[in-house]
Amino acid sequence: MKKLFITLLLAFFSSNTAFADNHIITIQCKYDDPGLSFLKPIYVINLETKKVKVGATSMHILKYSDNEILLGKANAALSEKMEIDRITGRYQKEQIFYGTSEEEKKIVNSSGICQKVEKAF
């Protein structure tokens, strides 16, 4: 009986660790614009905490489903929204750079494709 209990306990712990990272998605995105094609940011998306790491910066998950993920970020100088299609990998991004006046405000739209990145080890 004791061996059976230990076997079940070990099976329980090993099955939980096998699925521990299923809420973390790592993707690398590439711009459609040939002038920006050298930029390939890596997004580490944590669906559980709704936080996203992009290099040294961070974003938040505003909404997600099986079909899309909507990311956002805002501060006094910048507002950014990014919609990622989980089926095709395509994304649309809108960045608003605020100036000291309404005339200095600049809106930049971009698009591209993202691919899932697997861990090497």
Side-chain angles (χ1 to χ4, degrees):
M1 188 69 163
K2 188 174 183 180
K3 288 181 181 180
L4 176 63
F5 177 72
I6 291 172
T7 304
L8 288 174
L9 190 64
L10 288 173
F12 175 73
F13 284 123
S14 66
S15 67
N16 280 347
T17 57
F19 299 104
D21 286 342
N22 65 351
H23 61 275
I24 297 176
I25 302 168
T26 304
I27 58 174
Q28 185 171 27
C29 299
K30 180 181 172 188
Y31 289 90
D32 284 338
D33 183 355
L36 298 174
S37 63
F38 66 93
L39 294 173
K40 297 178 184 175
I42 294 177
Y43 294 78
V44 180
I45 303 169
N46 189 326
L47 298 175
E48 191 173 272
T49 63
K50 296 189 176 187
K51 293 184 180 181
V52 181
K53 293 293 287 176
V54 188
T57 65
S58 62
M59 297 178 82
H60 289 85
I61 296 174
L62 303 175
K63 180 176 110 176
Y64 76 92
S65 67
D66 288 339
N67 297 327
E68 71 178 357
I69 299 175
L70 182 62
L71 308 177
K73 168 179 158 177
N75 59 39
L78 168 73
S79 174
E80 184 175 350
K81 286 185 183 176
M82 181 174 180
E83 184 178 336
I84 305 168
D85 186 317
R86 295 182 76 178
I87 307 300
T88 64
R90 300 284 309 160
Y91 76 85
Q92 298 287 326
K93 184 191 287 188
E94 179 184 71
Q95 295 173 306
I96 301 172
F97 298 92
Y98 301 106
T100 55
S101 67
E102 187 66 27
E103 293 82 30
E104 292 180 4
K105 182 168 87 170
K106 183 177 180 182
I107 299 173
V108 177
N109 291 305
S110 59
S111 63
I113 187 113
C114 299
Q115 292 183 330
K116 190 172 180 181
V117 177
E118 296 295 330
K119 293 181 182 177
F121 51 91

